[in-house]
Amino acid sequence: MSVSPDAVVPADLVAALRRDGHVFVHAAELQPRLASDVGLSDWPQVAQSWDDMPLDAYMADGGRYRRRRYGVFSAGRDGAIARESHQPHWQSTDYNRLNGGIARWFEPIADDIGASASIQAVLQCCRGAFNALAPDTPHWHIEMHQFRIEAALDEAGQPTPEGIHRDGVDYVMVLLVRRENIACGTTTIHAPDGALLGSFTLTDTFDATLLDDHRVFHGVTPVVPIDARAPAFRDVLVVTFRGADAPTDPLP
């Protein structure tokens, strides 16, 4: 399943990302572009897949507020985007002071979800934007994370428990899938010296931010329930791109 990247990636989005190192994209702009080629006909089934995720068993703070699935893909500058065999997620403690330094084996994203038209549309959109920013990168290593952050009165949900950080990749997309009965969850963007560059809240399905991970840091404020009697959570899809030929920290 393939689509011309130029069909879904507006030039002004790429220009803003090149200029500022980050860009917030409203759902009203992004959703029609994702739907224009590959399509989003299976989005309800994709969004529903957030409902059966296991707890993240690697939380060094002891928190039980994060559910997660993970998958790895690879791609050239065009053509098919391939699902790779399941493998651990690795970050050094330079990038993740809380949970880094170990190989984390998360449950895999379901095969049918990874191969869905909606997920392929998101991946194609990311590749189009990041190709434009990195014209000399021939191959991409892509990691995808499904996150559900749950909130309760006795335990606020921490979308970024490691604090303000970089991910240790080249580029990042964070896409909101669903917010249910929560307040807060504001994304903040920072310069390497900590200076605040911007802030916004992902509120609508398909609201998204794209980041140049070499240039900016990011974080998200904790989420809390509005009604303590009802389920409260924040579902996001995080996709990271790294040049496949770039050196990376080895697994221990």
Side-chain angles (χ1 to χ4, degrees), residues 112-131:
D112 61 330
I113 299 302
S116 66
S118 296
I119 291 299
Q120 289 296 309
V122 171
L123 291 173
Q124 296 278 14
C125 181
C126 289
R127 180 172 62 178
F130 304 150
N131 274 352

Side-chain angles (χ1 to χ4, degrees), residues 1-202:
M1 197 179 300
S2 180
V3 57
S4 168
D6 293 336
V8 293
V9 182
D12 57 344
L13 183 153
V14 173
L17 189 53
R18 180 180 289 117
R19 181 186 66 242
D20 301 327
H22 65 97
V23 63
F24 168 61
V25 189
H26 289 280
E29 177 182 0
L30 183 61
Q31 184 175 0
R33 295 185 180 277
L34 292 175
S36 64
D37 260 282
V38 174
L40 297 171
S41 61
D42 55 11
W43 179 256
Q45 292 77 28
V46 171
Q48 189 177 24
S49 71
W50 265 256
D51 290 338
D52 67 347
M53 294 198 299
L55 281 171
D56 183 339
Y58 292 94
M59 296 300 297
D61 64 357
R64 296 180 58 81
Y65 51 78
R66 181 156 78 176
R67 297 181 181 275
R68 185 171 189 170
R69 287 186 183 273
Y70 172 71
V72 177
F73 299 77
S74 62
R77 293 188 66 81
D78 54 28
I81 296 176
R83 180 76 179 264
E84 296 297 318
S85 60
H86 194 52
Q87 54 196 265
H89 177 52
W90 165 258
Q91 288 176 297
S92 75
T93 54
D94 292 337
Y95 294 107
N96 191 328
R97 293 167 294 177
L98 179 66
N99 298 318
I102 60 171
R104 289 179 284 167
W105 285 94
F106 299 113
E107 289 295 316
I109 293 171
D111 290 343
D112 61 330
I113 299 302
S116 66
S118 296
I119 291 299
Q120 289 296 309
V122 171
L123 291 173
Q124 296 278 14
C125 181
C126 289
R127 180 172 62 178
F130 304 150
N131 274 352
L133 294 169
D136 296 327
T137 298
H139 301 100
W140 293 106
H141 173 85
I142 305 165
E143 297 179 62
M144 178 177 289
H145 310 258
Q146 291 181 288
F147 287 109
R148 169 166 287 185
I149 303 300
E150 297 174 327
L153 283 182
D154 60 349
E155 186 178 40
Q158 304 281 348
T160 53
E162 64 271 50
I164 296 167
H165 67 285
R166 293 190 296 134
D167 288 342
V169 295
D170 292 333
Y171 302 104
V172 181
M173 176 192 234
V174 181
L175 179 121
L176 183 71
V177 175
R178 184 180 175 190
R179 284 174 64 101
E180 183 71 26
N181 185 36
I182 58 167
C184 305
T186 297
T187 298
T188 59
I189 309 296
H190 302 262
D193 64 2
L196 181 66
L197 299 176
S199 65
F200 47 85
T201 303
L202 305 179

